[in-house]
Amino acid sequence: MIINGIQIDSIVVGGVGTNCYIVRRENSDQCVVLDPGYSGRKIARYIHNEGCKLEDVLLTHGHFDHMMGVTFLMEEAGGRLCAFEDEQAVLEDPGMNVTAMAGSAMTLQADVYFRDGQVYETAGMKFTVIHTPGHTKGSCCYYFESDKILISGDTLFQESVGRTDLPTGSMGTLVRSVREKLLALPEDVKVYPGHGESTTIGHEREYNPFL
């Protein structure tokens, strides 16, 4: 799918249906991958078949279903691993990132740790990092402002929000993050969540029962 000059391809991975996104400028040979939860080699093959070079792997948070494909993907395709600075403890603890419970305990260390409000340029694109704690302490969203695209991870879903019963989660904090930081964005911003179908900020303002 191409939105405002940005090509977003989605591969649904793992048993809980995680949306892994491959994002690039239209007709570009550089890309980023967001939340490769599983199937790292499959994602790498897709990138190679598209003739793309992987610049960065971006995590919205550190849960198992969003990060267990990172190692295989980067072994095959390279790139830098990026996450929000407050998620470091989750990435480095198999209990907190739930990989131990999922049966394959693992840890990760990011090459780049983002700050709230940081503007980052990669693969010919520019986005703002929005810290949205609640699903986890260091959950974040990636806002491609000029292209009106938000990658929301497990913070905001179509007519729902992420679970908060795992380590560092808080429903009150999550709802506050969405209301104060995400619903303030323009209503025509297209939202690509970590699970399920895409939506818009305007739709969520009107129909999301959690907000």
Side-chain angles (χ1 to χ4, degrees):
M1 179 178 294
I2 297 175
I3 303 290
N4 298 326
I6 295 287
Q7 181 168 336
I8 301 180
D9 299 318
S10 176
I11 300 177
V12 180
V13 297
V16 294
T18 302
N19 292 328
C20 170
Y21 297 109
I22 300 97
V23 182
R24 55 177 161 153
R25 282 271 172 223
E26 186 178 4
N27 300 319
S28 174
D29 62 356
Q30 297 176 311
C31 71
V32 299
V33 169
L34 295 103
D35 290 348
Y38 296 91
S39 307
R41 290 195 176 99
K42 176 181 177 181
I43 297 164
R45 285 197 301 270
Y46 182 90
I47 292 169
H48 289 317
N49 290 340
E50 290 290 307
C52 286
K53 178 180 182 295
L54 177 60
E55 296 294 330
D56 288 293
V57 177
L58 309 174
L59 298 180
T60 59
H61 65 288
H63 281 158
F64 75 103
D65 57 321
H66 289 252
M67 57 79 114
M68 288 186 74
V70 166
T71 300
F72 287 150
L73 171 60
M74 295 182 69
E75 284 177 353
E76 297 286 336
R80 296 172 294 262
L81 180 61
C82 308
F84 193 76
E85 58 185 355
D86 288 357
E87 198 71 347
Q88 182 173 357
V90 173
L91 289 173
E92 295 179 359
D93 186 319
M96 294 175 71
N97 62 40
V98 203
T99 57
M101 187 184 303
S104 183
M106 66 176 290
T107 64
L108 290 175
Q109 291 186 333
D111 301 298
V112 178
Y113 283 105
F114 293 132
R115 304 179 307 277
D116 188 28
Q118 180 175 346
V119 177
Y120 191 74
E121 295 190 39
T122 180
M125 301 176 290
K126 181 168 65 174
F127 59 80
T128 301
V129 180
I130 303 175
H131 183 209
T132 51
H135 181 61
T136 63
K137 180 180 178 181
S139 287
C140 70
C141 300
Y142 299 106
Y143 179 38
F144 297 74
E145 182 175 6
S146 63
D147 310 294
K148 296 190 174 181
I149 292 169
L150 180 78
I151 309 294
S152 64
D154 286 4
T155 295
L156 178 63
F157 299 139
Q158 184 186 76
E159 299 182 17
S160 188
V161 295
R163 63 188 292 181
T164 57
D165 58 330
L166 295 174
T168 76
S170 164
M171 180 57 74
T173 302
L174 175 58
V175 170
R176 186 163 57 251
S177 290
V178 176
R179 285 178 173 169
E180 295 179 359
K181 294 192 171 185
L182 300 188
L183 297 191
L185 301 176
E187 65 178 14
D188 58 345
V189 169
K190 188 83 167 179
V191 179
Y192 291 90
H195 304 270
E197 300 298 319
S198 61
T199 183
T200 65
I201 292 296
H203 182 91
E204 298 313 307
R205 284 179 188 162
E206 186 168 357
Y207 295 109
N208 195 310
F210 291 87
L211 307 173

